[in-house]
Amino acid sequence: MSPPIDETKLHAFVGKMLNDLGGAMSVPTVRVGLRLGLFDALDNAPATASELAQRAGGLHQRYVREWALAQAANGYVDFDPVTDRFSLSPEQAMVFANRESPVYLAGAFELVAAMIEAEAKVEECFRQGTGVRWGDHAGCLFCATGAFFRPGYVNNIVQNWIPALDGIEERLRTGAKTADVGCGVGFSTLLMAEAYPESQFVGFDFHEPSIEEARRHAERHGLGDRVRFEVAKAKEIAEDGFDLVTMYDCLHDMGDPRGCAAHMRRILAPDGVWMIVEPIAGDVPADNMNPVGRLYYNASTMICVPTSLDQEVGEALGAQAGEARLSRIIEEGGFETVRRATEGPFNMVLEAR
Ligand SMILES: C[S@@+](CC[C@H](N)C(=O)[O-])C[C@H]1O[C@@H](n2cnc3c(N)ncnc32)[C@H](O)[C@@H]1O
């Protein structure tokens, strides 16, 4: 006999589900609003639905009103029923309008959409035990991923993460050779290159469209030949003698992270340092039953595990591997010391020598 229903617990649980479903249903309306510039049009300028529709380039007023009411119900914009005007508070603007803010979340909504688009492929993998190639997930998983991580990188790589490594900032200032492995569309590589004009940077990734996009970004930044982007699997990078190798949110996606670690050791100069930025996680699943762990476990099921299982070895560390397991893999690749140099709410930064 199943245990009796506790009405209080049921109400609390259904309340939570209402909230969660509201969040899920906001994904398409938020994306539409971001693409049509509706959040931007409200930044610093309250508007009625008609004014907003005009301001966003002459959109259909009825759609804009329903959209704005949906965002007000979401709590993503404010609504004044007396003036019938919608507005963006400074905090809401940080999330939906200010692209340089650490909590600009447009990329997160893109990532959710990419996860939904790849549902059928991943579902089949559950049956077959196969993986999904990074480039095959969804229309633009790689653009969404770049956009998702960019705010964290803009606000942390140069300000917090590099300075936390022993002696590396100084070497980058005077001139060091750096490889950014698994660089995706290259935001991390370009941020470092802009901050350290005496140093050389090479971004490597096995996904050709990402590298092509990274090259386009580099051209726009005008950093010349100090920055290059090359298509290469992590384990097959031929250049060596790097003072610093960085890996941003990608070691756990690799099929053979242990083999990659061994190769990073080979391409580093003898006194070189490997910086591994990974999702923050505790060492046991029970430590990750929190809002951040929730995001990562869901993304990991749909993206990280299938990406790794598609490759040789298929270690499938997942996005919540934790420091102990990552350190073990890194040490098995031949590194003597691994330490947590620093951490933030979403990432931990490991330094290996
Ligand atoms: C989650 S994305 C992170 C991309 C980028 N570092 C960023 O933070 O935006 C993982 C990246 O790892 C790359 N990747 C996965 N396995 C790889 C491998 N074995 N060799 C090279 N790149 C790999 C993917 O192509 C993808 O760009």
Side-chain angles (χ1 to χ4, degrees):
M1 211 175 71
S2 51
I5 297 291
D6 178 325
E7 289 292 330
T8 312
K9 279 189 187 165
L10 178 64
H11 275 108
F13 183 52
V14 173
K16 169 191 154 56
M17 291 311 302
L18 262 179
N19 251 322
D20 288 1
L21 286 170
M25 288 196 189
S26 78
V27 171
T29 61
V30 166
R31 292 179 75 221
V32 166
L34 287 164
R35 276 199 302 274
L36 293 177
L38 288 166
F39 288 105
D40 288 339
L42 279 180
D43 195 14
N44 289 317
T48 62
S50 307
E51 290 163 349
L52 181 57
Q54 278 309 313
R55 216 179 269 167
L59 299 175
H60 194 285
Q61 187 272 347
R62 181 67 192 94
Y63 278 107
V64 171
R65 181 165 178 81
E66 207 69 357
W67 176 89
L69 289 168
Q71 301 319 315
N74 284 335
Y76 299 170
V77 309
D78 290 336
F79 175 53
D80 180 348
V82 177
T83 60
D84 206 30
R85 281 198 151 78
F86 300 91
S87 61
L88 215 52
S89 71
E91 298 76 24
Q92 290 161 341
M94 281 183 76
V95 170
F96 293 114
N98 177 357
R99 285 152 185 74
E100 305 308 309
S101 127
V103 289
Y104 181 63
L105 293 183
F109 284 84
E110 292 307 306
L111 203 59
V112 175
M115 284 162 64
I116 292 171
E117 197 182 324
E119 249 178 49
K121 289 178 188 166
V122 176
E123 184 182 328
E124 190 53 24
C125 292
F126 273 66
R127 295 194 187 89
Q128 307 294 339
T130 47
V132 182
R133 188 138 307 172
W134 178 256
D136 292 348
H137 279 263
C140 209
L141 172 67
F142 69 99
C143 331
T145 303
F148 175 69
F149 285 123
R150 185 178 175 276
Y153 297 169
V154 168
N155 289 281
N156 283 298
I157 291 181
V158 173
Q159 300 87 331
N160 301 318
W161 296 346
I162 300 261
L165 306 175
D166 208 4
I168 286 300
E169 193 178 29
E170 189 48 35
R171 283 166 77 178
L172 284 168
R173 283 200 197 295
T174 49
K177 189 175 155 190
T178 297
D180 188 13
V181 178
C183 66
V185 296
F187 289 135
S188 51
T189 328
L190 295 172
L191 282 163
M192 294 189 289
E194 278 185 327
Y196 306 109
E198 300 304 322
S199 287
Q200 305 279 329
F201 296 85
V202 195
F204 296 100
D205 199 289
F206 74 170
H207 183 237
E208 203 165 333
S210 291
I211 289 296
E212 283 163 9
E213 182 71 1
R215 286 181 181 146
R216 281 191 288 275
H217 286 155
E219 237 165 74
R220 284 202 288 277
H221 284 251
L223 294 164
D225 59 7
R226 283 198 308 110
V227 188
R228 275 185 295 120
F229 288 100
E230 307 291 349
V231 177
K233 287 186 179 170
K235 283 199 302 188
E236 293 173 6
I237 294 168
E239 280 179 68
D240 59 9
F242 291 100
D243 302 295
L244 173 67
V245 170
T246 56
M247 271 196 195
Y248 294 98
D249 288 298
C250 59
L251 180 63
H252 67 270
D253 290 313
M254 297 184 180
D256 179 13
R258 199 174 289 98
C260 290
H263 195 64
M264 295 309 108
R265 186 66 215 93
R266 278 180 222 116
I267 68 168
L268 274 169
D271 62 346
V273 169
W274 181 20
M275 174 171 86
I276 306 107
V277 174
E278 276 288 304
I280 191 99
D283 286 329
V284 291
D287 293 344
N288 304 325
M289 300 298 138
N290 55 55
V292 173
R294 177 186 185 189
L295 292 186
Y296 279 133
Y297 274 128
N298 281 286
S300 186
T301 307
M302 300 303 290
I303 302 171
C304 312
V305 166
T307 297
S308 179
L309 285 178
D310 175 63
Q311 300 179 36
E312 73 284 4
V313 181
E315 182 86 28
L317 282 172
Q320 292 288 270
E323 182 179 354
R325 186 140 177 243
L326 289 164
S327 299
R328 220 168 27 248
I329 295 256
I330 293 165
E331 282 164 2
E332 284 165 9
F335 285 81
E336 271 174 23
T337 61
V338 187
R339 72 174 183 102
R340 189 186 293 217
T342 187
E343 64 177 43
F346 301 105
N347 287 101
M348 63 178 129
V349 178
L350 305 179
E351 174 180 348
R353 290 173 186 267

